[in-house]
Amino acid sequence: MTTTAHPATSRTTGRPIRHRHWLRTGWVMTASGWSANQFSALLGAYHADLGLTGATTTALFGVYVLGLIPGLFLGGPAADRRGRRPVVFVALTLSALATVLLMAGSVATGLLWPGRFLTGIGAGALLSAGSAWIKELSSPPYETHATAGAAARRSGLFLSAGFATGGLVAALIAQWAPAPMITAYLPHLVLSVTAALLASRAPETARTGGREPARTPDALATAPALATHGPAPHGPAPGVAFHRLVAPVAPWVFVAPSIALATLPGLVDAGLTGWRTVYAGIVTAVTPGAGLLVAPLARRLAARHRIATAVAGLAAVIAGLLLAAFAVARTRPDAALLAAAVLGAGYGLCVAYGLTEVAALAPPEGLARLTARFWALCYLGFCTPYAITLLTGLFAPATVLLTAVVPAAATLALITRRGAQRGARRGAHQGARPAA
């Protein structure tokens, strides 16, 4: 006998429960993206106004990753043990402190290094704890109407919004406001406080100390509906599936935007004297903005085939690299802007795929940990601009960008083959089931 599960309803209204707690926690992801990209848009200004070399500004861009890795791997397990809320609040505090150090770096450039390092730690902890928090608040008992993959799309949208607006706002302030290396960072401090206030109103979702998380009376009404669901379908262990289908795609999530943000503007802006900072800000808005726009496409692709989003994302990265190589070879800012948009679309599709897979694979008690592993692999891509800087001492920049197409194409072929194998195994398994 088969029992059909119906969405749980409120005891008082009879309507499906539609809490919006995820909307409050989403701003945590925006604060994380903003903290990362506000510095990226100012790379040219640091070079022109403070006299920092191109190698130094690129290294400062990469120091962020050195802080981000421990932030992810400490923040994820801590969020599973202690809860999402305390980790988020500590991370927001560290992120705000990092911004203060970056502001002080305008008069003491040595403070830029710890500022960027702390930025990474705060952003990493926010990503791991925030992604897990949004995932759980987008699922029963807190919400009963969300579609599959909704949590991943929500996390990606809020993160992309932070990436897009953080860089653009910082660039515009730096272009026209007084004391630009200080005032450009003020909006992030306001956003951090706002995100903390909003998150304080969201319930804790992690099971800590052997206790169930607190639930509202309406949320408790979902228990009967949850009981009607059968066990999860059998499949490969989460770790195996993660390494086969998620890990190869993850680095390309940020290879694409890091090239667009940190590499392209400096290679094509020779004729933009006086407007270089604004141009960099536009690039930092266009790149993640394109990631936002492809969210509906990611949803449709995921409904067709589980790896279709990854395939489309990697194909967009390849196309973006080809366009970037052309733009650099011809010194075309307009073509570079188009390349940034295509690379941003690749970022948006790849991150939607990765977060959706992680949410599907991870058990509740290990969600933040697996999320942290995903983001750690993603942010390896942020080292790409530094590698390009080193290689351009030996090869033309356009040649280096063309060379990057080779591993991207290899990853696309690998994921396509593994996805086909997975589909074939699933079909064979279903065909072997006895008739009802």
Side-chain angles (χ1 to χ4, degrees):
M1 178 178 176
T2 301
T3 302
T4 302
H6 297 285
T9 58
S10 169
R11 293 174 176 175
T12 57
T13 66
R15 297 176 181 176
I17 296 175
R18 295 173 181 264
H19 292 302
R20 296 290 185 180
H21 297 308
W22 62 268
L23 192 58
R24 300 187 181 105
T25 55
W27 294 100
V28 168
M29 302 295 286
T30 302
S32 177
W34 190 297
S35 69
N37 242 16
Q38 61 181 350
F39 181 83
S40 305
L42 302 177
L43 291 176
Y46 278 113
H47 178 66
D49 298 343
L50 299 185
L52 300 183
T53 65
T56 299
T57 55
T58 304
L60 282 167
F61 184 83
V63 164
Y64 169 81
V65 180
L66 296 181
L68 187 116
I69 300 301
L72 287 167
F73 284 119
L74 293 176
D80 284 334
R81 290 194 308 269
R82 304 293 183 183
R84 315 310 188 201
R85 185 198 301 271
V87 173
V88 162
F89 288 164
V90 170
L92 283 171
T93 302
L94 287 176
S95 186
L97 175 60
T99 293
V100 171
L101 289 175
L102 292 175
M103 294 167 73
S106 64
V107 294
T109 55
L111 294 177
L112 294 174
W113 298 95
R116 285 294 287 167
F117 184 76
L118 278 180
T119 298
I121 291 179
L126 287 175
L127 285 172
S128 55
S131 297
W133 206 359
I134 292 173
K135 162 63 172 63
E136 289 159 347
L137 290 174
S138 298
S139 307
Y142 304 99
E143 185 174 1
T144 59
H145 76 290
T147 59
R153 291 191 297 272
R154 290 166 177 175
S155 293
L157 288 172
F158 274 99
L159 180 65
S160 297
F163 279 136
T165 53
L168 180 60
V169 170
L172 294 177
I173 292 175
Q175 183 71 32
W176 287 295
M181 297 296 103
I182 296 176
T183 54
Y185 291 110
L186 291 175
H188 177 251
L189 296 179
V190 175
L191 177 60
S192 296
V193 173
T194 303
L197 291 174
L198 290 171
S200 68
R201 299 176 58 196
E204 178 59 73
T205 57
R207 295 176 175 87
T208 57
R211 296 174 298 176
E212 288 287 333
R215 297 179 183 179
T216 62
D218 273 351
L220 292 173
T222 63
L226 291 175
T228 61
H229 287 286
H234 295 291
V240 175
F242 179 86
H243 287 295
R244 284 182 56 83
L245 292 172
V246 180
V249 179
W252 295 101
V253 168
F254 285 132
V255 166
S258 67
I259 289 175
L261 302 177
T263 300
L264 282 183
L267 296 175
V268 300
D269 65 359
L272 299 176
T273 304
W275 294 92
R276 290 174 179 172
T277 300
V278 171
Y279 177 76
I282 294 173
V283 170
T284 60
V286 166
T287 305
L292 283 168
L293 293 176
V294 298
L297 174 61
R299 182 168 59 251
R300 290 194 294 271
L301 289 172
R304 291 190 173 189
H305 194 284
R306 194 161 184 174
I307 69 160
T309 312
V311 170
L314 290 168
V317 171
I318 293 170
L321 290 171
L322 293 173
L323 281 169
F326 168 79
V328 170
R330 300 293 182 89
T331 317
R332 293 275 301 274
D334 55 341
L337 199 60
L338 176 60
V342 177
L343 289 168
Y347 146 78
L349 292 168
C350 288
V351 76
Y353 166 78
L355 287 174
T356 300
E357 285 293 305
V358 167
L361 293 171
E365 68 277 5
L367 177 59
R369 288 180 176 86
L370 196 62
T371 301
R373 288 169 62 188
F374 168 69
W375 284 120
L377 290 172
C378 289
Y379 271 95
L380 290 177
F382 258 76
C383 298
T384 307
Y386 191 68
I388 291 176
T389 299
L390 294 177
L391 290 173
T392 50
L394 302 173
F395 307 99
T399 302
V400 176
L401 290 170
L402 282 175
T403 304
V405 171
V406 177
T411 305
L412 174 58
L414 177 67
I415 290 298
T416 302
R417 180 170 61 85
R418 288 180 175 177
Q421 291 173 346
R422 182 191 214 183
R425 285 196 300 269
R426 182 173 298 170
H429 176 72
Q430 292 174 346
R433 290 178 179 174

